[in-house]
Amino acid sequence: MAAMDTDTLLAGIAQKDFVILGRAGMDMFAHPPGVKSEDAEVFHADLGGSSANIAVGLCKFGCTASLVTSVSDDAVGRFCLNKLKHYGVETDYVVSVGGEARNSLAVYESRIDNFQNVIYRNGAADFEVTKEDMARVDFARFGALVTAGTVFAAEPSRSATFAAFDTARTLRLPVIFDIDYRPYSWPSPEVAADVLSRAGAASDMIVGNDEEFGFMAGDMARGLQKAQSLAEEGVAIVIYKMGEKGAVTFAGGREIHTGIYPVTAVKPNGAGDSFMAGLLSGLAEGLDLRDAVLRGSACASIVVSKPGCAPAMPTHDQLNAFLADHPGPTER
């Protein structure tokens, strides 16, 4: 089937109705900001996990987001379900699984120096999503499919997600792929590079950082070339993020360079999820691609300047207040 053109991709995003594949987890972050986890007497708990964070960010911007995942049939899984509903994320396709499966747990800090993020993912419940679970999803009702790359790290989630990609391609449903490479989730770098490259080739929009594209290329020095080659091979929009150096977006033969909004960060995590939510909601509202990327960058800056991930995802009012008070974007 022919690659999807940019207009078709943007028309799907404009429906503001997203189906999102991937994990929801519990975040526990040390309080007050600055304290190390091992010294903390208080931790705040909230929703985490890349896909759940993206869904929350989209909902805060007035879009509809439905998460497809599995959670453990225990108190932590129910905590995640309750938090998803609290933020307005649809949970019709969230399945509770028993046995030894457990929800992801992240224990981290609101600090930059010597930041620590301890991830518990043994027997992760989100890897238990099956092809049968995907077959129950009414993909035709959505405007676009979004996934984070961790869903491909293990079976049966990997095969289930590729089956969802096949369904999306048949329906001409845009596929938006956040590479989200987490080495600890994969059996080996070689498997990860092969599988993530297959996923990228089947996507209509790819978002990743310089290290993730370099990893897919098999050479960290060739990440930018990998992003450019994916665009040349038919991926409608490819966004190559470079941290404080901004981003390069490839689309329709164009190369768009954008900067960032400098802030004093209190933590490094959550930026990519907020970037994706800001980008997609901006495109859904009709912003041109450059302005939507800048909106994603602003959202990323907001999230790293606050404790937590899901609770730090901005609303329209918070984004507007940030843009009014902060310098930027930096020139690129």
Side-chain angles (χ1 to χ4, degrees):
M1 187 175 292
M4 183 173 291
D5 60 84
T6 304
D7 288 343
T8 304
L9 168 62
L10 294 178
I13 293 171
Q15 294 184 36
K16 299 184 179 182
D17 194 358
F18 298 90
V19 57
I20 303 177
L21 315 183
R23 69 190 185 282
M26 176 186 277
D27 280 5
M28 296 184 66
F29 42 100
H31 182 78
V35 68
K36 292 183 177 182
S37 294
E38 58 262 38
D39 297 327
E41 295 184 359
V42 175
F43 286 84
H44 288 175
D46 214 300
L47 184 66
S50 293
S51 295
N53 290 335
I54 294 168
V56 169
L58 286 167
C59 288
K60 287 190 177 185
F61 279 124
C63 298
T64 300
S66 183
L67 190 66
V68 181
T69 194
S70 294
V71 297
S72 51
D73 185 15
D74 57 23
V76 177
R78 289 188 288 275
F79 174 92
C80 294
L81 268 172
N82 288 341
K83 283 294 183 179
L84 287 167
K85 293 173 183 176
H86 166 76
Y87 287 116
V89 179
E90 293 185 358
T91 59
D92 293 349
Y93 301 119
V94 178
V95 177
S96 295
V97 293
E100 294 302 311
R102 293 291 182 267
N103 260 75
S104 290
L105 172 65
V107 181
Y108 58 89
E109 306 155 338
S110 299
R111 55 185 287 131
I112 293 296
D113 293 339
N114 300 315
F115 172 78
Q116 301 175 105
N117 187 8
V118 182
I119 306 289
Y120 295 90
R121 283 194 49 80
N122 293 338
D126 51 281
F127 286 148
E128 297 302 313
V129 175
T130 65
K131 288 183 178 180
E132 290 73 23
D133 294 329
M134 289 298 183
R136 288 192 286 270
V137 179
D138 182 12
F139 286 103
R141 57 150 283 205
F142 297 100
L145 181 155
V146 183
T147 191
T150 304
V151 295
F152 294 106
E155 296 288 4
S157 175
R158 181 187 303 162
S159 295
T161 305
F162 276 121
F165 274 35
D166 291 341
T167 300
R169 188 65 59 198
T170 299
L171 295 171
R172 299 293 288 168
L173 179 71
V175 173
I176 299 159
F177 176 44
D178 185 342
I179 300 172
D180 189 40
Y181 175 54
R182 309 295 179 101
Y184 53 78
S185 291
W186 290 84
S188 73
E190 293 76 19
V191 170
D194 174 66
V195 174
L196 292 175
S197 294
R198 285 169 51 202
S203 301
D204 303 301
M205 177 190 289
I206 303 176
V207 178
N209 61 36
D210 42 7
E211 292 183 356
E212 289 167 337
F213 279 108
F215 173 78
M216 289 175 69
D219 181 348
M220 289 301 173
R222 297 180 62 246
L224 185 61
Q225 292 173 264
K226 178 65 175 181
Q228 189 169 19
S229 68
L230 285 164
E232 292 170 350
E233 291 163 8
V235 180
I237 298 175
V238 180
I239 301 177
Y240 177 84
K241 299 183 296 181
M242 301 176 291
E244 64 182 17
K245 296 180 181 178
V248 182
T249 300
F250 300 95
R254 295 181 296 154
E255 189 172 310
I256 305 168
H257 293 254
T258 49
I260 66 164
Y261 293 82
V263 293
T264 300
V266 301
K267 68 180 192 309
N269 53 329
D273 308 332
S274 191
F275 178 93
M276 181 68 86
L279 167 72
L280 294 179
S281 61
L283 292 173
E285 292 172 17
L287 295 182
D288 66 27
L289 184 53
R290 177 185 176 83
D291 287 343
V293 171
L294 286 172
R295 174 161 154 169
S297 296
C299 291
S301 293
I302 290 170
V303 166
V304 298
S305 67
K306 298 181 178 182
C309 288
M313 298 284 159
T315 62
H316 277 114
D317 288 345
Q318 290 167 336
L319 174 62
N320 291 336
F322 174 86
L323 293 173
D325 293 340
H326 285 73
T330 54
E331 294 296 325
R332 283 284 299 142

